[in-house]
Amino acid sequence: MSNIKNKPNITDDYVVNVRRAAIEHRGKWAAAFYEEAKAEGIDLEPIMRRAIRKVGLKAGEKGEERFRRQGSQCGNLRKVFYRQGSVRYV
């Protein structure tokens, strides 16, 4: 497994920092479950990959549905997937 160096570009925005902390905290829980299972001889890797795939596919379906409702023109992509408040441009 590679060692990821993730350096944030936005460090002075309260909302961004709160969201980042929440994601990091969830990641720590997931890693703790994985490490505990591994210590017990349980291979969670395939289970976690299936779960991640299911969640991703479900999220993609919702996005696709919104995209279809608003029309399938590329110009609508930003309206559908990058709603105000959900993304901060750097």
Side-chain angles (χ1 to χ4, degrees):
M1 189 177 284
S2 65
N3 187 6
I4 298 172
K5 303 271 190 241
N6 187 359
K7 304 224 181 218
N9 293 328
I10 302 168
T11 58
D12 60 345
D13 185 300
Y14 176 78
V15 173
V16 171
N17 289 337
V18 167
R19 289 179 180 172
R20 184 180 291 125
I23 292 167
E24 183 180 344
H25 188 70
R26 289 182 194 120
K28 287 178 182 178
W29 273 100
F33 284 124
Y34 180 82
E35 292 297 326
E36 288 297 319
K38 190 175 176 181
E40 294 290 326
I42 302 167
D43 184 13
L44 280 183
E45 183 85 19
I47 296 165
M48 292 176 81
R49 287 186 177 273
R50 284 194 310 268
I52 290 167
R53 180 174 168 73
K54 282 181 184 179
V55 169
L57 289 173
K58 197 65 164 170
E61 286 173 5
K62 288 179 183 176
E64 186 178 2
E65 181 183 314
R66 285 195 315 258
F67 186 64
R68 283 199 175 122
R69 273 197 314 257
Q70 294 200 10
S72 59
Q73 298 173 356
C74 289
N76 290 326
L77 230 115
R78 184 165 186 240
K79 285 189 248 173
V80 174
F81 293 103
Y82 300 106
R83 290 171 288 154
Q84 186 167 354
S86 65
V87 172
R88 167 136 180 189
Y89 298 98
V90 181

